[in-house]
Amino acid sequence: MTKKILILPGDGIGPEIVAEAVKVLAALREGYGLDIEMEEALVGGAAIDAVGNPLPEETLRLARASDAVLLGAVGGPKWEPLDISVRPEKGLLGLRAGLGLFANLRPAILYPQLADASTLRPEVVSGLDILIVRELTGGIYFGQPRGIRILDDGERQGLNTLVYRESEIRRICRVAFEIAMKRGKRVCSVDKANVLECTELWRQVAVETAQAFPEIELSHMYVDNAAMQLVRRPKQFDVIVTDNMFGDILSDEASMLTGSIGMLPSASLNETGKGMYEPIHGSAPDIAGQGIANPLATILSVAMMLRYTLDQPALADRVEAAVRGVLDAGLRTPDIYSPGNQRVGTAVIGDAVARALG
Ligand code: NAD
């Protein structure tokens, strides 16, 4: 059956990098019979400018009706003066909530060709391949009560609540275990069970859920140690599963191990496997419109879409191999350029990946 893909270019470099990912999807449709239909809609600042709303109803309707969403990036200085409730980022949060995207998958992969890009020594990071599975719709970012209140003595008090139901923990652990079965079969669950009861429950439920996955080697780590281990010996990890806030912080740390923000994709999935796929970087207003943004994170997001929503793992492998081929050929956008390679623009990279698939 034809799969529907909603394309949301967004702001800044979003339209430039998404155009290259669309070339790759089109090449898969022409060359490999990938049965897809693509439609484009507005989100973020572009939607604010056009219709005054960062997530128009029509966009959410189309997102709900599609099998997968490919997003560029949202935001930029133009919209920063706006009230926080109507900023471009609200479009993203609305999509996550509206589609029930509770599982955020962030790989941190360091291509050997780019080992010099990391601030860590090449032998520590070369060949790095970690996947962080972050809970995205619960925990302290959403828990009630929350706010800033005035106490009886007149002092202000800030308040947030870390809260998880066991079903929320179980479903994210299950996602991590299922994915780990297709990788190295090792999952490290990160918590702070020595201090926070909520994460003590997290650990208990992780252990219970693992019983259905006897081949998985489950370990546990406190978040402070995990932050340290990620820079000390990152290659010890295969899949990391953790809550919303710890995952927010650790996934940024892990991505920086690779030193190349323009290379890292992400996926956010719901219970039915529907997903939103996007590069981890933002709209890069400093280079927007110059044709020099790196489209590979977005193209690799297409590979994740093929693997996790479209059930086309062989095509996902092909896209990733094509990306490696382009790097092997020495083509580099400025963000990953090093002497001895060829400095090229966004479209040259996209064309080269699409051609490598042909
Ligand atoms: P950013 O990720 O946009 O940029 C950080 C730096 O990385 C910049 O120097 C940029 O030029 C560079 N960079 C990012 N992506 C690149 C690419 N593909 N190729 C080459 N270089 C790249 O982060 P920022 O500057 O903090 O944020 C800019 C805007 O993006 C803000 O409005 C922010 O709110 C928004 N943002 C959006 C998302 C999202 O849509 N998911 C995520 C983060 C930030």
Side-chain angles (χ1 to χ4, degrees):
M1 209 177 73
T2 307
K3 301 280 188 183
K4 286 188 183 163
I5 301 173
L6 181 66
I7 308 287
L8 300 176
D11 308 318
I13 60 170
E16 300 166 48
I17 53 179
V18 162
E20 303 311 314
V22 167
K23 280 182 194 167
V24 169
L25 281 165
L28 293 172
R29 190 173 53 192
E30 311 318 321
Y32 297 89
L34 180 68
D35 191 6
I36 52 167
E37 229 171 49
M38 293 185 264
E39 189 164 3
E40 200 174 301
L42 290 166
V43 74
I48 295 174
D49 290 352
V51 294
N53 176 356
L55 181 59
E57 254 172 49
E58 173 65 358
T59 299
L60 186 56
R61 190 189 66 73
L62 288 169
R64 286 198 171 117
S66 63
D67 297 286
V69 177
L70 180 68
L71 177 91
V74 297
K78 178 176 177 194
W79 302 282
E80 267 160 29
L82 293 179
D83 185 78
I84 197 152
S85 62
V86 288
R87 287 223 199 117
E89 291 75 8
K90 273 279 160 195
L92 260 188
L93 297 177
L95 279 166
R96 282 181 191 163
L99 301 177
L101 304 173
F102 71 93
N104 184 224
L105 275 44
R106 293 245 314 234
I109 295 174
L110 185 63
Y111 292 86
Q113 300 93 327
L114 304 178
D116 289 344
S118 176
T119 50
L120 297 190
R121 289 198 308 275
E123 68 268 26
V124 177
V125 288
S126 185
L128 181 81
D129 184 357
I130 304 177
L131 180 72
I132 299 198
V133 178
R134 165 189 171 195
E135 202 291 324
L136 201 59
T137 51
I140 197 163
Y141 290 178
F142 293 92
Q144 295 288 345
R146 62 187 297 155
I148 300 173
R149 60 192 181 192
I150 313 270
L151 298 174
D152 290 345
D153 63 4
E155 204 179 339
R156 284 173 300 164
Q157 184 187 53
L159 172 75
N160 290 93
T161 305
L162 174 59
V163 57
Y164 272 111
R165 298 172 74 99
E166 59 180 315
S167 53
E168 291 176 291
I169 304 171
R170 196 170 302 115
R171 68 180 182 176
I172 190 76
C173 287
R174 204 175 291 132
V175 168
F177 294 149
E178 278 165 2
I179 290 172
M181 284 301 291
K182 298 180 192 157
R183 298 172 42 107
K185 298 189 177 162
R186 289 183 296 116
V187 175
C188 179
S189 169
V190 171
D191 61 42
K192 189 72 182 168
N194 52 340
V195 181
L196 300 170
E197 288 81 356
C198 182
T199 71
E200 197 184 333
L201 177 69
W202 181 284
R203 191 176 282 217
Q204 288 167 11
V205 174
V207 170
E208 289 160 20
T209 312
Q211 283 166 8
F213 298 86
E215 284 179 62
I216 294 286
E217 187 191 308
L218 173 65
S219 60
H220 307 273
M221 201 178 272
Y222 296 138
V223 63
D224 41 350
N225 188 23
M228 196 171 74
Q229 294 298 332
L230 269 176
V231 285
R232 196 175 80 92
R233 214 163 50 81
K235 285 193 265 184
Q236 69 184 279
F237 296 108
D238 176 23
V239 174
I240 291 176
V241 62
T242 191
D243 82 355
N244 201 342
M245 183 163 70
F246 298 160
D248 189 5
I249 298 164
L250 293 182
S251 59
D252 264 24
E253 185 189 2
S255 63
M256 281 301 100
L257 296 174
T258 72
S260 43
I261 195 173
M263 295 292 301
L264 296 173
S266 78
S268 303
L269 305 178
N270 74 6
E271 304 245 21
T272 65
K274 182 195 286 241
M276 182 158 85
Y277 296 84
E278 54 180 317
I280 67 155
H281 58 72
S283 58
D286 53 333
I287 57 165
Q290 298 177 28
I292 56 168
N294 187 345
L296 291 177
T298 317
I299 290 172
L300 290 165
S301 300
V302 167
M304 292 189 84
M305 179 191 294
L306 290 162
R307 187 166 285 125
Y308 295 115
T309 294
L310 303 182
D311 202 20
Q312 297 279 358
L315 291 187
D317 289 345
R318 273 187 193 275
V319 171
E320 287 164 355
V323 168
R324 281 195 298 275
V326 165
L327 293 176
D328 282 339
L331 299 182
R332 303 278 191 275
T333 40
D335 57 307
I336 53 170
Y337 174 77
S338 60
N341 294 300
Q342 196 185 340
R343 193 192 295 259
V344 296
T346 312
V348 172
I349 296 277
D351 289 339
V353 175
R355 215 172 24 249
L357 287 168

